[in-house]
Amino acid sequence: MAISSALSDRKRPIVISVAIFILLSSLLLLLSPAPSALPFFFSPTSRFSSSSSSFSRGAASAPPQTPLPVSASAPPQTPLPVSSPAPPRTPLPVSSPAPPRTPIPVLADASPHGTASGGSSSSAADLPRLEAAATADDADTNATQLSRGTQPAAAAQVSTSVDTKEITTGVSGGRGAEGGGVGGGGEEKPVEVASWKLCVVGKRVEPADYIPCLDNVKAVKALKSIRHMEHRERHCPTEPRSRCLVPLPAGYRLPLPWPRSRDMIWYNNVPHPKLVEYKKDQNWVRKSGNYFVFPGGGTQFKAGVTRYIRFIEQIMPQIKWGTHARTVLDVGCGVASFGGYLLDRNVITMSIAPKDEHEAQIQFALERGIPAFLAVIGTQKLPFPDNSFDVIHCARCRVHWYADGGKPLLELNRVLRPGGYYIWSATPVYRRGKSDEDDWNAMVTLTKSICWRTVVKSKDINRIGVVIYQKPTSNSCYTERKNNEPPLCSGSNGHSPWYTPLDSCLLLPALSKSGAGNSWPISWPERLNIRSSTSSENSSTWFSQENFDSDTKNWNGLISEVYSSEFAVNWSSIRNVMDMNAGFGGFAASLIDRPLWVMNVVPFDQPDTLPIIFNRGLIGVYHDWCEYFNTYPRTYDLLHMSYLLQSLANRCDIIEIAAEIDRILRPGRWFVLQDNIGMIRKMDRVLRSLHYKTAIMRRQFLVARKSFWRPDSTGS
């Protein structure tokens, strides 16, 4: 008994300790039911389950996370240094040129040529001071830090599989379970990225200005005729497409910010001085030190484009710039001063001209931050929808409208909205030489045959003449013509004018159920939020008002809650934007209050929403992204692609698409991809081989920033 009692006394403390431990554990579980409250009960499986459930409850329950600096070329396995948490950010005011909302690290390789500069004034007297002063925008070009945030409701509408907290730098391994394939699951097929080399171009082609579909010297030499400007049209290289990069001009630096850029640009960015001498008596452009300066003159408005715009409104008050007339096509635009100054009137102008002996005119326009596009009226239709522009303008644009049976003017008639105006300022309007009188008489005959009405013909104080025509709004004139010449077209061809020959017939406006022609859109800016289309093909449910409203709401939410607050994109430095798969134009519409413009691109094989985009008062073009775009290198600050990459990858190589993105994008600027995680990872690998700074956000966004890196002649 003594031995038993001694053993009981020896066990009693152990029993009491176990009882106390169980009691304390029970209390801990009651106070904190999560498995992590007891580390030794916490298995990897339970950790994943707990994390997943916390995401499903919402990001509000997750602790704040520290942003990671974005790496350019380090392998994904390399540990990343952690910076201190950034304070909450608030959106910048639209008109404010203020610096970024949070402190940003500076990368040493962001600009090998120093920082761009500029002052508050763009006058010639201020040029030395402008060159000496560094702008806040140049510091912004070195921003690479991406911040994390919670997922807004708008983002959830786009993809139900979005991970609200995931942001990764580059592409890390060991994520097969999270979805690596196109559909978000399974093993991802690797993307083989070849070493990059500089493009080899033909004779008389400047390597830094290379546009593959317009600089195909071999194809141009093989043309049988150039009578109708065939040599200025697209002649894209055949397979295999080149996988090369365009070099930077010597001394390149980031463009001056808008609106300073409208009046002056860096000479080294577009080092082509021929227009200075060629147009010296017309005030197109002048060289002053390290700058090109644009006085706002033109061939037909030597006294200034502002006075010319005011003169047009004086002789035809019903044009009502910026309310009634919103979208303009400027043919043969020169350096696009007409479109640049119409922006002051809330008018958006598509300025077009070919790549010809007027050296780099479209490049000048885009460097200035003015919407512009390389195009020519030759043998093929312009890449715009029928009945799209409110106004078309031609000031000495050197197009023989009445040539070849009047096909060039018939093309203008096709893209001009019923009730729209054609403004023609050229020597046949006001000179009396035999050649000019013959041209004028031919124009009178042709415009009458297509039922255009002469609204006004007048001269300004410099004796420069302008005539303004108006396209009819109904078909009555066409059907009552005594002579059916040009003949009426049988109807719209039913698809985009991509690589389509010019018509030799007259396209009738589509009639409404009441028998009237297409009604004019309501005044700007109200028309921005109205779904209307001039195309009868756009009556399917896909183009319904419900889908349009949903798209508008979705993009408003994404821009305000995600793009503006979570992406490390310095919006104050962005001027030229391209939406590579524009849909209804919701992305552009949601940015309308910012000091930027958007080129809305509708792929030729996607639903034809471009007529709706134009009716909203926006501009855009048709294009095939398996080919090269009609623009100079380094002409856009932000390229945006939403759910297009998969369909492109079925027809062309993702490496070629990335090479074209790199050609168009300015160094130090951004490419934003919204897609499934499989396509995002594929593109991420390619962009990292180009030394882009990349980050994957929310498993549906890739934000990539272009560096100044270019390969040397050996491809290293």
Side-chain angles (χ1 to χ4, degrees), residues 6-36:
L7 290 173
S8 299
D9 292 340
R10 200 174 294 168
K11 292 179 179 178
R12 187 175 293 112
I14 298 174
V15 173
I16 293 173
S17 299
V18 171
I20 292 174
F21 175 78
I22 293 173
L23 178 62
L24 291 174
S25 300
S26 301
L27 290 172
L28 285 172
L29 287 171
L30 288 172
L31 294 173
S32 180
S36 57

PDB file of all heavy atoms in Angstrom, residues 6-36:
ATOM      1  N   ALA A   6       2.766   5.858  -2.957  1.00  0.00           N
ATOM      2  CA  ALA A   6       3.871   6.688  -3.449  1.00  0.00           C
ATOM      3  C   ALA A   6       3.776   6.900  -4.952  1.00  0.00           C
ATOM      4  O   ALA A   6       4.009   8.001  -5.462  1.00  0.00           O
ATOM      5  CB  ALA A   6       5.206   6.021  -3.075  1.00  0.00           C
ATOM      6  N   LEU A   7       3.386   5.826  -5.691  1.00  0.00           N
ATOM      7  CA  LEU A   7       3.237   5.963  -7.142  1.00  0.00           C
ATOM      8  C   LEU A   7       2.112   6.942  -7.488  1.00  0.00           C
ATOM      9  O   LEU A   7       2.220   7.748  -8.415  1.00  0.00           O
ATOM     10  CB  LEU A   7       2.973   4.604  -7.776  1.00  0.00           C
ATOM     11  CG  LEU A   7       4.156   3.630  -7.764  1.00  0.00           C
ATOM     12  CD1 LEU A   7       3.706   2.253  -8.258  1.00  0.00           C
ATOM     13  CD2 LEU A   7       5.300   4.155  -8.605  1.00  0.00           C
ATOM     14  N   SER A   8       1.003   6.864  -6.741  1.00  0.00           N
ATOM     15  CA  SER A   8      -0.128   7.770  -7.012  1.00  0.00           C
ATOM     16  C   SER A   8       0.285   9.210  -6.782  1.00  0.00           C
ATOM     17  O   SER A   8      -0.075  10.125  -7.536  1.00  0.00           O
ATOM     18  CB  SER A   8      -1.318   7.412  -6.123  1.00  0.00           C
ATOM     19  OG  SER A   8      -1.740   6.095  -6.410  1.00  0.00           O
ATOM     20  N   ASP A   9       1.062   9.406  -5.671  1.00  0.00           N
ATOM     21  CA  ASP A   9       1.518  10.774  -5.408  1.00  0.00           C
ATOM     22  C   ASP A   9       2.446  11.260  -6.515  1.00  0.00           C
ATOM     23  O   ASP A   9       2.454  12.437  -6.883  1.00  0.00           O
ATOM     24  CB  ASP A   9       2.255  10.815  -4.063  1.00  0.00           C
ATOM     25  CG  ASP A   9       1.305  10.574  -2.889  1.00  0.00           C
ATOM     26  OD1 ASP A   9       0.087  10.772  -3.111  1.00  0.00           O
ATOM     27  OD2 ASP A   9       1.796  10.207  -1.804  1.00  0.00           O
ATOM     28  N   ARG A  10       3.226  10.335  -7.117  1.00  0.00           N
ATOM     29  CA  ARG A  10       4.157  10.714  -8.179  1.00  0.00           C
ATOM     30  C   ARG A  10       3.418  11.068  -9.470  1.00  0.00           C
ATOM     31  O   ARG A  10       3.839  11.901 -10.245  1.00  0.00           O
ATOM     32  CB  ARG A  10       5.121   9.547  -8.414  1.00  0.00           C
ATOM     33  CG  ARG A  10       6.407   9.944  -9.103  1.00  0.00           C
ATOM     34  CD  ARG A  10       7.344   8.765  -9.151  1.00  0.00           C
ATOM     35  NE  ARG A  10       7.761   8.405  -7.803  1.00  0.00           N
ATOM     36  CZ  ARG A  10       8.395   7.270  -7.495  1.00  0.00           C
ATOM     37  NH1 ARG A  10       8.655   6.403  -8.444  1.00  0.00           N
ATOM     38  NH2 ARG A  10       8.765   7.005  -6.239  1.00  0.00           N
ATOM     39  N   LYS A  11       2.260  10.398  -9.752  1.00  0.00           N
ATOM     40  CA  LYS A  11       1.508  10.653 -11.003  1.00  0.00           C
ATOM     41  C   LYS A  11       0.596  11.867 -10.908  1.00  0.00           C
ATOM     42  O   LYS A  11       0.165  12.412 -11.920  1.00  0.00           O
ATOM     43  CB  LYS A  11       0.661   9.431 -11.357  1.00  0.00           C
ATOM     44  CG  LYS A  11       1.474   8.207 -11.755  1.00  0.00           C
ATOM     45  CD  LYS A  11       0.546   7.056 -12.060  1.00  0.00           C
ATOM     46  CE  LYS A  11       1.324   5.809 -12.483  1.00  0.00           C
ATOM     47  NZ  LYS A  11       0.428   4.663 -12.745  1.00  0.00           N
ATOM     48  N   ARG A  12       0.276  12.208  -9.674  1.00  0.00           N
ATOM     49  CA  ARG A  12      -0.726  13.263  -9.525  1.00  0.00           C
ATOM     50  C   ARG A  12      -0.318  14.567 -10.232  1.00  0.00           C
ATOM     51  O   ARG A  12      -1.129  15.173 -10.936  1.00  0.00           O
ATOM     52  CB  ARG A  12      -0.972  13.519  -8.022  1.00  0.00           C
ATOM     53  CG  ARG A  12      -2.145  14.496  -7.780  1.00  0.00           C
ATOM     54  CD  ARG A  12      -2.453  14.652  -6.302  1.00  0.00           C
ATOM     55  NE  ARG A  12      -2.974  13.393  -5.767  1.00  0.00           N
ATOM     56  CZ  ARG A  12      -2.323  12.630  -4.888  1.00  0.00           C
ATOM     57  NH1 ARG A  12      -1.131  12.993  -4.456  1.00  0.00           N
ATOM     58  NH2 ARG A  12      -2.846  11.510  -4.426  1.00  0.00           N
ATOM     59  N   PRO A  13       0.929  15.050 -10.149  1.00  0.00           N
ATOM     60  CA  PRO A  13       1.288  16.303 -10.883  1.00  0.00           C
ATOM     61  C   PRO A  13       1.158  16.165 -12.393  1.00  0.00           C
ATOM     62  O   PRO A  13       0.766  17.110 -13.083  1.00  0.00           O
ATOM     63  CB  PRO A  13       2.738  16.534 -10.464  1.00  0.00           C
ATOM     64  CG  PRO A  13       2.890  15.803  -9.180  1.00  0.00           C
ATOM     65  CD  PRO A  13       2.009  14.588  -9.265  1.00  0.00           C
ATOM     66  N   ILE A  14       1.456  14.951 -12.918  1.00  0.00           N
ATOM     67  CA  ILE A  14       1.345  14.754 -14.370  1.00  0.00           C
ATOM     68  C   ILE A  14      -0.104  14.849 -14.807  1.00  0.00           C
ATOM     69  O   ILE A  14      -0.450  15.493 -15.812  1.00  0.00           O
ATOM     70  CB  ILE A  14       1.951  13.385 -14.760  1.00  0.00           C
ATOM     71  CG1 ILE A  14       3.433  13.358 -14.402  1.00  0.00           C
ATOM     72  CG2 ILE A  14       1.732  13.097 -16.228  1.00  0.00           C
ATOM     73  CD1 ILE A  14       4.083  12.006 -14.624  1.00  0.00           C
ATOM     74  N   VAL A  15      -0.957  14.185 -14.032  1.00  0.00           N
ATOM     75  CA  VAL A  15      -2.396  14.210 -14.374  1.00  0.00           C
ATOM     76  C   VAL A  15      -2.924  15.627 -14.315  1.00  0.00           C
ATOM     77  O   VAL A  15      -3.689  16.081 -15.175  1.00  0.00           O
ATOM     78  CB  VAL A  15      -3.169  13.277 -13.415  1.00  0.00           C
ATOM     79  CG1 VAL A  15      -4.674  13.426 -13.638  1.00  0.00           C
ATOM     80  CG2 VAL A  15      -2.729  11.842 -13.611  1.00  0.00           C
ATOM     81  N   ILE A  16      -2.516  16.342 -13.266  1.00  0.00           N
ATOM     82  CA  ILE A  16      -2.993  17.727 -13.128  1.00  0.00           C
ATOM     83  C   ILE A  16      -2.492  18.578 -14.290  1.00  0.00           C
ATOM     84  O   ILE A  16      -3.225  19.404 -14.862  1.00  0.00           O
ATOM     85  CB  ILE A  16      -2.531  18.306 -11.779  1.00  0.00           C
ATOM     86  CG1 ILE A  16      -3.233  17.580 -10.627  1.00  0.00           C
ATOM     87  CG2 ILE A  16      -2.817  19.813 -11.717  1.00  0.00           C
ATOM     88  CD1 ILE A  16      -2.723  17.967  -9.251  1.00  0.00           C
ATOM     89  N   SER A  17      -1.219  18.389 -14.717  1.00  0.00           N
ATOM     90  CA  SER A  17      -0.658  19.169 -15.832  1.00  0.00           C
ATOM     91  C   SER A  17      -1.406  18.903 -17.134  1.00  0.00           C
ATOM     92  O   SER A  17      -1.712  19.817 -17.903  1.00  0.00           O
ATOM     93  CB  SER A  17       0.831  18.832 -16.009  1.00  0.00           C
ATOM     94  OG  SER A  17       1.553  19.167 -14.849  1.00  0.00           O
ATOM     95  N   VAL A  18      -1.708  17.613 -17.374  1.00  0.00           N
ATOM     96  CA  VAL A  18      -2.454  17.278 -18.598  1.00  0.00           C
ATOM     97  C   VAL A  18      -3.830  17.911 -18.573  1.00  0.00           C
ATOM     98  O   VAL A  18      -4.332  18.441 -19.582  1.00  0.00           O
ATOM     99  CB  VAL A  18      -2.540  15.748 -18.758  1.00  0.00           C
ATOM    100  CG1 VAL A  18      -3.498  15.385 -19.882  1.00  0.00           C
ATOM    101  CG2 VAL A  18      -1.167  15.163 -19.009  1.00  0.00           C
ATOM    102  N   ALA A  19      -4.470  17.862 -17.420  1.00  0.00           N
ATOM    103  CA  ALA A  19      -5.814  18.444 -17.314  1.00  0.00           C
ATOM    104  C   ALA A  19      -5.785  19.947 -17.570  1.00  0.00           C
ATOM    105  O   ALA A  19      -6.649  20.507 -18.259  1.00  0.00           O
ATOM    106  CB  ALA A  19      -6.390  18.147 -15.926  1.00  0.00           C
ATOM    107  N   ILE A  20      -4.765  20.606 -16.980  1.00  0.00           N
ATOM    108  CA  ILE A  20      -4.649  22.062 -17.190  1.00  0.00           C
ATOM    109  C   ILE A  20      -4.379  22.363 -18.662  1.00  0.00           C
ATOM    110  O   ILE A  20      -4.932  23.307 -19.243  1.00  0.00           O
ATOM    111  CB  ILE A  20      -3.534  22.626 -16.294  1.00  0.00           C
ATOM    112  CG1 ILE A  20      -3.939  22.528 -14.811  1.00  0.00           C
ATOM    113  CG2 ILE A  20      -3.225  24.081 -16.670  1.00  0.00           C
ATOM    114  CD1 ILE A  20      -2.831  22.923 -13.845  1.00  0.00           C
ATOM    115  N   PHE A  21      -3.521  21.574 -19.311  1.00  0.00           N
ATOM    116  CA  PHE A  21      -3.205  21.788 -20.727  1.00  0.00           C
ATOM    117  C   PHE A  21      -4.451  21.650 -21.606  1.00  0.00           C
ATOM    118  O   PHE A  21      -4.703  22.454 -22.507  1.00  0.00           O
ATOM    119  CB  PHE A  21      -2.133  20.792 -21.162  1.00  0.00           C
ATOM    120  CG  PHE A  21      -1.826  20.853 -22.626  1.00  0.00           C
ATOM    121  CD1 PHE A  21      -1.023  21.857 -23.147  1.00  0.00           C
ATOM    122  CD2 PHE A  21      -2.360  19.910 -23.494  1.00  0.00           C
ATOM    123  CE1 PHE A  21      -0.749  21.913 -24.486  1.00  0.00           C
ATOM    124  CE2 PHE A  21      -2.093  19.971 -24.837  1.00  0.00           C
ATOM    125  CZ  PHE A  21      -1.282  20.972 -25.338  1.00  0.00           C
ATOM    126  N   ILE A  22      -5.231  20.589 -21.312  1.00  0.00           N
ATOM    127  CA  ILE A  22      -6.465  20.384 -22.099  1.00  0.00           C
ATOM    128  C   ILE A  22      -7.423  21.547 -21.906  1.00  0.00           C
ATOM    129  O   ILE A  22      -8.078  22.026 -22.847  1.00  0.00           O
ATOM    130  CB  ILE A  22      -7.111  19.040 -21.714  1.00  0.00           C
ATOM    131  CG1 ILE A  22      -6.194  17.883 -22.156  1.00  0.00           C
ATOM    132  CG2 ILE A  22      -8.493  18.897 -22.325  1.00  0.00           C
ATOM    133  CD1 ILE A  22      -6.667  16.520 -21.682  1.00  0.00           C
ATOM    134  N   LEU A  23      -7.528  22.009 -20.652  1.00  0.00           N
ATOM    135  CA  LEU A  23      -8.422  23.130 -20.371  1.00  0.00           C
ATOM    136  C   LEU A  23      -7.984  24.391 -21.114  1.00  0.00           C
ATOM    137  O   LEU A  23      -8.794  25.090 -21.733  1.00  0.00           O
ATOM    138  CB  LEU A  23      -8.448  23.387 -18.859  1.00  0.00           C
ATOM    139  CG  LEU A  23      -9.325  24.575 -18.393  1.00  0.00           C
ATOM    140  CD1 LEU A  23     -10.782  24.330 -18.762  1.00  0.00           C
ATOM    141  CD2 LEU A  23      -9.196  24.758 -16.876  1.00  0.00           C
ATOM    142  N   LEU A  24      -6.661  24.709 -21.068  1.00  0.00           N
ATOM    143  CA  LEU A  24      -6.160  25.893 -21.771  1.00  0.00           C
ATOM    144  C   LEU A  24      -6.333  25.769 -23.284  1.00  0.00           C
ATOM    145  O   LEU A  24      -6.667  26.739 -23.974  1.00  0.00           O
ATOM    146  CB  LEU A  24      -4.681  26.108 -21.434  1.00  0.00           C
ATOM    147  CG  LEU A  24      -4.386  26.535 -19.989  1.00  0.00           C
ATOM    148  CD1 LEU A  24      -2.881  26.576 -19.752  1.00  0.00           C
ATOM    149  CD2 LEU A  24      -4.993  27.908 -19.710  1.00  0.00           C
ATOM    150  N   SER A  25      -6.092  24.566 -23.819  1.00  0.00           N
ATOM    151  CA  SER A  25      -6.274  24.360 -25.256  1.00  0.00           C
ATOM    152  C   SER A  25      -7.713  24.586 -25.667  1.00  0.00           C
ATOM    153  O   SER A  25      -8.011  25.167 -26.717  1.00  0.00           O
ATOM    154  CB  SER A  25      -5.825  22.947 -25.647  1.00  0.00           C
ATOM    155  OG  SER A  25      -4.451  22.763 -25.335  1.00  0.00           O
ATOM    156  N   SER A  26      -8.628  24.107 -24.842  1.00  0.00           N
ATOM    157  CA  SER A  26     -10.055  24.305 -25.151  1.00  0.00           C
ATOM    158  C   SER A  26     -10.407  25.778 -25.156  1.00  0.00           C
ATOM    159  O   SER A  26     -11.167  26.268 -26.006  1.00  0.00           O
ATOM    160  CB  SER A  26     -10.913  23.547 -24.134  1.00  0.00           C
ATOM    161  OG  SER A  26     -10.619  22.163 -24.163  1.00  0.00           O
ATOM    162  N   LEU A  27      -9.847  26.518 -24.172  1.00  0.00           N
ATOM    163  CA  LEU A  27     -10.109  27.955 -24.134  1.00  0.00           C
ATOM    164  C   LEU A  27      -9.552  28.658 -25.369  1.00  0.00           C
ATOM    165  O   LEU A  27     -10.179  29.552 -25.945  1.00  0.00           O
ATOM    166  CB  LEU A  27      -9.493  28.559 -22.862  1.00  0.00           C
ATOM    167  CG  LEU A  27     -10.179  28.184 -21.541  1.00  0.00           C
ATOM    168  CD1 LEU A  27      -9.359  28.695 -20.349  1.00  0.00           C
ATOM    169  CD2 LEU A  27     -11.591  28.751 -21.485  1.00  0.00           C
ATOM    170  N   LEU A  28      -8.333  28.261 -25.801  1.00  0.00           N
ATOM    171  CA  LEU A  28      -7.744  28.859 -27.002  1.00  0.00           C
ATOM    172  C   LEU A  28      -8.585  28.587 -28.231  1.00  0.00           C
ATOM    173  O   LEU A  28      -8.776  29.444 -29.097  1.00  0.00           O
ATOM    174  CB  LEU A  28      -6.323  28.337 -27.205  1.00  0.00           C
ATOM    175  CG  LEU A  28      -5.263  28.913 -26.257  1.00  0.00           C
ATOM    176  CD1 LEU A  28      -3.942  28.172 -26.434  1.00  0.00           C
ATOM    177  CD2 LEU A  28      -5.065  30.399 -26.521  1.00  0.00           C
ATOM    178  N   LEU A  29      -9.091  27.368 -28.342  1.00  0.00           N
ATOM    179  CA  LEU A  29      -9.935  27.033 -29.495  1.00  0.00           C
ATOM    180  C   LEU A  29     -11.228  27.823 -29.492  1.00  0.00           C
ATOM    181  O   LEU A  29     -11.746  28.224 -30.533  1.00  0.00           O
ATOM    182  CB  LEU A  29     -10.235  25.536 -29.502  1.00  0.00           C
ATOM    183  CG  LEU A  29      -9.065  24.625 -29.894  1.00  0.00           C
ATOM    184  CD1 LEU A  29      -9.426  23.170 -29.650  1.00  0.00           C
ATOM    185  CD2 LEU A  29      -8.699  24.839 -31.344  1.00  0.00           C
ATOM    186  N   LEU A  30     -11.777  28.037 -28.281  1.00  0.00           N
ATOM    187  CA  LEU A  30     -13.007  28.826 -28.194  1.00  0.00           C
ATOM    188  C   LEU A  30     -12.765  30.279 -28.582  1.00  0.00           C
ATOM    189  O   LEU A  30     -13.568  30.914 -29.249  1.00  0.00           O
ATOM    190  CB  LEU A  30     -13.576  28.750 -26.771  1.00  0.00           C
ATOM    191  CG  LEU A  30     -14.202  27.407 -26.360  1.00  0.00           C
ATOM    192  CD1 LEU A  30     -14.548  27.426 -24.879  1.00  0.00           C
ATOM    193  CD2 LEU A  30     -15.439  27.117 -27.191  1.00  0.00           C
ATOM    194  N   LEU A  31     -11.610  30.816 -28.150  1.00  0.00           N
ATOM    195  CA  LEU A  31     -11.302  32.219 -28.437  1.00  0.00           C
ATOM    196  C   LEU A  31     -10.837  32.434 -29.862  1.00  0.00           C
ATOM    197  O   LEU A  31     -11.077  33.467 -30.470  1.00  0.00           O
ATOM    198  CB  LEU A  31     -10.222  32.725 -27.472  1.00  0.00           C
ATOM    199  CG  LEU A  31     -10.652  32.799 -25.999  1.00  0.00           C
ATOM    200  CD1 LEU A  31      -9.449  33.156 -25.128  1.00  0.00           C
ATOM    201  CD2 LEU A  31     -11.765  33.817 -25.810  1.00  0.00           C
ATOM    202  N   SER A  32     -10.134  31.471 -30.463  1.00  0.00           N
ATOM    203  CA  SER A  32      -9.610  31.591 -31.823  1.00  0.00           C
ATOM    204  C   SER A  32      -9.810  30.275 -32.533  1.00  0.00           C
ATOM    205  O   SER A  32      -8.966  29.386 -32.453  1.00  0.00           O
ATOM    206  CB  SER A  32      -8.127  31.965 -31.795  1.00  0.00           C
ATOM    207  OG  SER A  32      -7.635  32.073 -33.098  1.00  0.00           O
ATOM    208  N   PRO A  33     -10.927  30.085 -33.245  1.00  0.00           N
ATOM    209  CA  PRO A  33     -11.249  28.787 -33.841  1.00  0.00           C
ATOM    210  C   PRO A  33     -10.389  28.427 -35.029  1.00  0.00           C
ATOM    211  O   PRO A  33     -10.470  27.327 -35.520  1.00  0.00           O
ATOM    212  CB  PRO A  33     -12.705  28.961 -34.270  1.00  0.00           C
ATOM    213  CG  PRO A  33     -12.862  30.429 -34.475  1.00  0.00           C
ATOM    214  CD  PRO A  33     -11.981  31.076 -33.463  1.00  0.00           C
ATOM    215  N   ALA A  34      -9.546  29.351 -35.545  1.00  0.00           N
ATOM    216  CA  ALA A  34      -8.730  29.004 -36.705  1.00  0.00           C
ATOM    217  C   ALA A  34      -7.691  27.969 -36.322  1.00  0.00           C
ATOM    218  O   ALA A  34      -7.128  28.013 -35.232  1.00  0.00           O
ATOM    219  CB  ALA A  34      -8.040  30.243 -37.262  1.00  0.00           C
ATOM    220  N   PRO A  35      -7.359  27.022 -37.193  1.00  0.00           N
ATOM    221  CA  PRO A  35      -6.362  26.010 -36.876  1.00  0.00           C
ATOM    222  C   PRO A  35      -5.010  26.594 -36.542  1.00  0.00           C
ATOM    223  O   PRO A  35      -4.241  26.002 -35.810  1.00  0.00           O
ATOM    224  CB  PRO A  35      -6.300  25.166 -38.161  1.00  0.00           C
ATOM    225  CG  PRO A  35      -7.597  25.403 -38.839  1.00  0.00           C
ATOM    226  CD  PRO A  35      -8.014  26.772 -38.474  1.00  0.00           C
ATOM    227  N   SER A  36      -4.683  27.774 -37.082  1.00  0.00           N
ATOM    228  CA  SER A  36      -3.371  28.349 -36.818  1.00  0.00           C
ATOM    229  C   SER A  36      -3.183  28.765 -35.373  1.00  0.00           C
ATOM    230  O   SER A  36      -2.083  29.100 -34.953  1.00  0.00           O
ATOM    231  CB  SER A  36      -3.141  29.553 -37.733  1.00  0.00           C
ATOM    232  OG  SER A  36      -4.171  30.486 -37.548  1.00  0.00           O
TER     233      SER A  36
END
